[in-house]
Amino acid sequence: MAVRDILRMGDPRLLQMAQAVEAFATPELHELVADLIDTMRANDGAGLAAPQIGVNLQVVVFGSEGNPRYPDAEPVPLTVLINPVLTALSEELEEAWEGCLSVPGLRGKVPRHGHLHYTGFDQHGQALTREVAGFHARVVQHETDHLWGILYPRRIRDLRYFGFTDAVVSEHIEAAPENNSK
Ligand code: NI
């Protein structure tokens, strides 16, 4: 278990399509998941995807339960999600501010589906299926985007709503995935 370096926007490894995990419950997969959780927590993140630490596999972790940086966000249970499949349950998109540990110091207002269904597996190969809304839905969409090589600035529709965290009006950033102070 270790806190790993996080790749930053501009690194071409963040633009790759991640590969599906084929072997579960292996020592390598357990180590990857432990490193993702350690690295997410060390950075006060709400989520982290394997490509962000240079591992090109479809593995994400997220969760914001008890995170002092999200006092107003609905709690999201600590989740390991592998080979995810997302299905939108609402056509309309909701705009809210997001941050990303690979885009430090910045925030942007990003449209996301407000309600969705997702499936995948945990590190033991146990199937997971959930229907979620709000902040939980936003975090899942942000993290799985990393697996398709998409960083949130590509989703911003109006670049007037993209800026430095310490310049953006504070009430707009209360629920930002991967929010951190850097
Ligand atoms: Ni991110």
Side-chain angles (χ1 to χ4, degrees), residues 23-125:
F24 292 88
T26 64
E28 295 79 15
L29 186 59
H30 287 311
E31 185 180 352
L32 171 61
V33 167
D35 285 359
L36 284 168
I37 292 171
D38 286 351
T39 305
M40 173 178 76
R41 287 183 167 154
N43 289 279
D44 289 333
L48 192 66
Q52 292 180 276
I53 59 168
V55 177
N56 196 36
L57 289 172
Q58 293 179 22
V59 180
V60 305
V61 300
F62 54 85
S64 65
E65 226 159 13
N67 189 323
R69 298 206 59 81
Y70 315 98
D72 301 323
E74 312 135 48
V76 178
L78 180 64
T79 301
V80 175
L81 184 61
I82 298 173
N83 300 349
V85 176
L86 275 54
T87 307
L89 297 176
S90 63
E91 271 314 303
E92 72 267 38
L93 300 172
E94 297 172 0
E95 299 258 359
W97 291 88
E98 296 185 11
C100 179
L101 295 175
S102 293
V103 191
L106 292 163
R107 292 289 181 275
K109 210 168 191 181
V110 183
R112 301 287 188 189
H113 292 284
H115 187 195
L116 61 86
H117 177 265
Y118 68 86
T119 62
F121 300 89
D122 70 9
Q123 66 271 43
H124 308 285

Side-chain angles (χ1 to χ4, degrees), residues 47-49 52 99-103 142-143 146 150-152 177-178:
L48 192 66
Q52 292 180 276
C100 179
L101 295 175
S102 293
V103 191
H142 178 112
E143 297 311 329
H146 280 293
I150 297 169
L151 298 175
Y152 80 81
E178 296 187 16

